[in-house]
Amino acid sequence: MTFFYQLLVYLCLVSAPAAVASASAAPEELVLNTQYEFPPYVIPDSQGGLTGHSVAVTRCVAEKLGVRLKVHAYPWLRAQQLVREGIGDGFFPASRNAARDEFAVLSAPVSPQRWYWYLPETDNSDVHSRDFKNNKYVGARLGSNMHFWLKDNDFNLAFYTNDWKTLVIALVNHRVDAILANDETTDPLLRELQGQEQFRKELCLDKPLGVYFSQKFVARYPDFILRFNQQVPGCERKLTDFIE
């Protein structure tokens, strides 16, 4: 073995632990994208900041990890696309779908969420039937996992919007036969808007919400999601504390 070869092996052995340690180190700052308003998970406060269940849990985890958290709000589809383009370390709160898995990795759940079908009480359709899927015109939030799911499963997606209230108004005004939405966001709006008409809801899927970290971020900090997930149970909050 020549001297130069021995020197090369030595340098590789010495530098390898440092490289691994650097790759595994936690960032000083975590930049996450979110949407403008998604009560009770993301709620604008009176000082121009953001609160809500998912924000509170994620901020708590970041504090436990000694990481400074910055949250930027965008239209929801834009918030996700920016992370795909490398702007931001991740986005939240989000449930799993295949399109997001292509460029990001989902954490443990930070908030519970269930999807429900909402439709007039006088409509006795079976929401799980082929007839409902083929013949009912439905709506969802633009950029939401529900929006993607309806498209992927060939429902008649006739209405979508960036605004939750506008989505519920579309149901109340019969612009669509039904909407797919989570109950914690939709129920308060429906009570506010429905007037005399009654609506019913049927469970579609249980889809908890987590933080999607970009694959670039995960490659740079491979241990971070594990450490993040370990801290989530100690940061749990009651969802009812964020519901007016």
Side-chain angles (χ1 to χ4, degrees):
M1 184 180 293
T2 67
F3 170 78
F4 292 105
Y5 183 78
Q6 289 175 319
L7 179 61
L8 180 61
V9 171
Y10 172 78
L11 290 174
C12 288
L13 291 173
V14 169
S15 62
V20 172
S22 176
S24 300
E28 293 184 3
E29 181 176 87
L30 178 64
V31 180
L32 298 179
N33 297 342
T34 190
Q35 51 192 299
Y36 288 116
E37 189 170 8
F38 182 19
Y41 308 105
V42 180
I43 305 170
D45 62 28
S46 57
Q47 285 76 45
L50 294 170
T51 182
H53 187 273
S54 298
V55 174
V57 172
T58 304
R59 183 170 287 129
C60 170
V61 172
E63 289 175 355
K64 286 181 177 290
L65 295 175
V67 176
R68 183 170 60 253
L69 176 64
K70 283 191 175 181
V71 180
H72 300 302
Y74 301 94
W76 187 220
L77 199 58
R78 180 63 176 156
Q80 299 167 69
Q81 184 60 34
L82 285 171
V83 173
R84 181 188 283 272
E85 295 170 0
I87 302 173
D89 300 317
F91 58 92
F92 83 112
S95 57
R96 167 163 280 125
N97 71 36
R100 293 167 177 168
D101 288 340
E102 291 177 0
F103 65 97
V105 181
L106 186 62
S107 75
V110 298
S111 297
Q113 182 196 221
R114 292 170 298 179
W115 295 359
Y116 281 90
W117 286 109
Y118 287 82
L119 60 166
E121 197 172 60
T122 53
D123 185 340
N124 60 3
S125 299
D126 177 0
V127 296
H128 305 292
S129 68
R130 184 174 296 275
D131 179 68
F132 180 87
K133 178 178 179 179
N134 292 341
N135 298 309
K136 295 294 184 178
Y137 293 99
V138 301
R141 177 83 183 279
L142 178 65
S144 68
N145 201 1
M146 289 162 274
H147 177 216
F148 294 128
W149 185 83
L150 290 170
K151 290 178 64 178
D152 289 345
N153 287 279
D154 298 321
F155 282 85
N156 292 315
L157 183 59
F159 184 86
Y160 45 86
T161 173
N162 270 317
D163 182 66
W164 286 106
K165 191 169 186 177
T166 303
L167 177 64
V168 178
I169 289 173
L171 174 67
V172 172
N173 291 342
H174 300 286
R175 294 186 62 183
V176 289
D177 298 310
I179 62 172
L180 185 60
N182 82 76
D183 57 334
E184 300 295 354
T185 304
T186 305
D187 285 357
L189 288 170
L190 197 54
R191 285 193 295 269
E192 174 188 343
L193 294 168
Q194 69 181 4
Q196 298 301 313
E197 187 172 4
Q198 298 299 310
F199 294 84
R200 67 183 176 94
K201 64 180 184 180
E202 297 286 344
L203 182 64
C204 177
L205 291 170
D206 191 310
K207 297 287 285 187
L209 300 164
V211 179
Y212 259 110
F213 294 97
S214 75
Q215 290 180 358
K216 291 181 180 179
F217 178 87
V218 173
R220 197 180 318 135
Y221 305 106
D223 296 336
F224 186 80
I225 288 188
L226 175 61
R227 295 173 59 208
F228 183 96
N229 291 346
Q230 289 172 339
Q231 297 299 330
V232 169
C235 288
E236 290 180 354
R237 302 286 189 271
K238 292 181 180 179
L239 199 60
T240 52
D241 290 344
F242 299 90
I243 299 174
E244 295 182 354

